Amino acid sequence: MHRRRWRPLALLRKVLTFAICAIALVALLSFHLHTFSSSIVPNFPDPYKLPTQHEFKHQRFSTVRSWTRELTPPHLSKAPLSSRQLAGARGTLELYKLWKSPPNRDFVPCVKPTAYYATPIESRGYLLVHTNGGLNQMRAGICDMVAVARIINATLVIPELDKRSFWQDSSNFSDVFDEDHFINALANDVRVVKKLPKEMAAATRAVKHFRSWSGMDYYRDEIASMWEDFQVIRAAKSDSRLANNNLPPDIQKLRCRACYEALRFSPQIEALGKLLVNRMRSYGRYIALHLRYEKDMLAFSGCTHGLSPAEADELRMIRENTAYWKIKDIDSGEQRSKGYCPLTPKEVGIFLSALGYPSNTPIYIAAGEIYGGDSHMADLRSRYPILKSKEKLASEELEPFMDHASQLAALDYIVSVESDVFIPSYSGNMARAVEGHRRFLGHRKTISPDRKILVRLFDKIERGTQKEGRNLSNRIIEAHRRRQGSPRKRKGPISGTKGMDRFRSEEAFYVNPLPDCLCQRESPNMNTSHIIR
């Protein structure tokens, strides 16, 4: 009788235990499904453009807190898990963290002018601009010239793009950028016209090389005084003509409005850029790898590690025959040991593996033609076979852009800004511009390789004194814990530097627009990070 009385209770206990386990399993599965379904294909604006000020009008901003070091993303505090662990639920969560952006501390764009900012009055003359360099060097120069036109009270004529650089691109401004949008977006800041008026064709004009990294006094005194003798001033160069720091807040905010709101790519570039992003998204979350292993970069930097003697000699000849590249004699080994060389495709593969990215990770190669082609890409492809590029993602759609380096670079720029993770193999103009743009859009994950540390580890691997595995991963992860793109104040000049070297050592304005163009949202409670993303 006693046993019969306890049998129903035992049965009930088993049923309840089974039900609890089933509920827990369903909850776990639904959590992972929700997490990945919402992160694989994020919304993409149509057309591709940056958020405007009105999108943040309901937010209040506080003064910027001062710091110089990045937060440590939690997943980089230890080495990646083994493949067996990655197969489980815990491994899935760790894999998710590899893609997660660092904490943004609720920083959002704040580029609205101050109450003291007035609409432009009648200008004193016309400013012509000849930009120089590649796409991103020209972009920064154009935005600086917008600010200069404001400072000296000039009407800005749509800038002329560089057609004489290494790339020999014949593109005009309207081929690369949305000309009408540029003019209209800056209507309350600077008067912009498409061409110099016919009546000004015979006007007195001056050609001037504006002094590098100049401040307000130089432009207000020396340049603005030229209006007394000239009606047209032509800036012979546009790059690095304006100081990074110590400018009025409204001038700094204007630079950001010009760069991130007014200087939109042309409709045809935006459309194809969106198409490329969507095609990359079809493979899942992806890394945009700016692989600066191109002939011009290697020739300019003198970096020949891993190349054949014939290839090294070809690069040397290019450098010697390019008149405006001043340095001809370069010690490749010394360059590399100091971290001045781009990582090779093989080294990038080792780096990504050490960080923990699995072999099925889709990677977009944001670059021109890789020097040596398949022979130098084989090692990276063996580790990460899903390697894509604009040429592989598009065929006939790409034909109108061929032979126009600036337009092709603009496509890479769009796909890189929208990527889940951006990794540059070299800190050139493209890498710096994309990093700054991603910081402006919410501090999207950008991993900046410490090349000086990495090449020492790679050399040990080649010598056989270091093997790939947990120990190498630990060292690489530790070296990059604070190189993830989280908020930090723009770095000033290196201590002890003087003159032009002092300005050269500063972090460029467009690499990191904080604190000038990013404000920390003031919130009544701590849990409000979901408001703006």
Side-chain angles (χ1 to χ4, degrees), residues 187-251:
N188 294 324
D189 303 295
V190 175
R191 183 167 177 253
V192 184
V193 295
K194 293 184 179 182
K195 294 181 180 179
L196 191 68
K198 291 182 179 179
E199 62 269 20
M200 299 300 296
T204 55
R205 65 178 66 188
V207 178
K208 181 74 173 177
H209 281 77
F210 294 162
R211 192 175 67 197
S212 298
W213 296 296
S214 295
M216 295 289 290
D217 291 343
Y218 169 77
Y219 284 106
R220 281 178 172 170
D221 299 338
E222 184 171 336
I223 302 302
S225 65
M226 295 175 67
W227 294 132
E228 298 172 7
D229 302 310
F230 304 99
Q231 295 172 283
V232 178
I233 299 174
R234 180 181 179 87
K237 285 189 174 183
S238 64
D239 65 323
S240 304
R241 303 299 114 178
L242 195 60
N244 293 305
N245 304 305
N246 303 317
L247 294 174
D250 272 326
I251 293 300

Side-chain angles (χ1 to χ4, degrees), residues 428-492:
N429 290 314
M430 165 80 166
R432 292 195 290 266
V434 171
E435 178 183 353
H437 199 151
R438 289 171 68 86
R439 286 181 178 278
F440 185 82
L441 292 176
H443 292 90
R444 297 175 177 177
K445 189 165 191 171
T446 301
I447 303 177
S448 303
D450 189 327
R451 297 186 302 279
K452 192 172 182 179
I453 289 176
L454 288 173
V455 295
R456 290 202 295 264
L457 294 174
F458 297 150
D459 286 345
K460 288 182 178 180
I461 293 175
E462 288 189 5
R463 292 194 300 265
T465 58
Q466 172 78 58
K467 294 183 178 181
E468 291 190 57
R470 178 169 289 276
N471 180 264
L472 179 68
S473 293
N474 283 337
R475 298 182 68 175
I476 289 179
I477 286 171
E478 179 61 28
H480 293 83
R481 285 191 305 140
R482 299 185 184 275
R483 303 175 69 91
Q484 303 291 301
S486 63
R488 60 168 175 78
K489 189 177 180 181
R490 188 168 61 254
K491 297 174 184 176

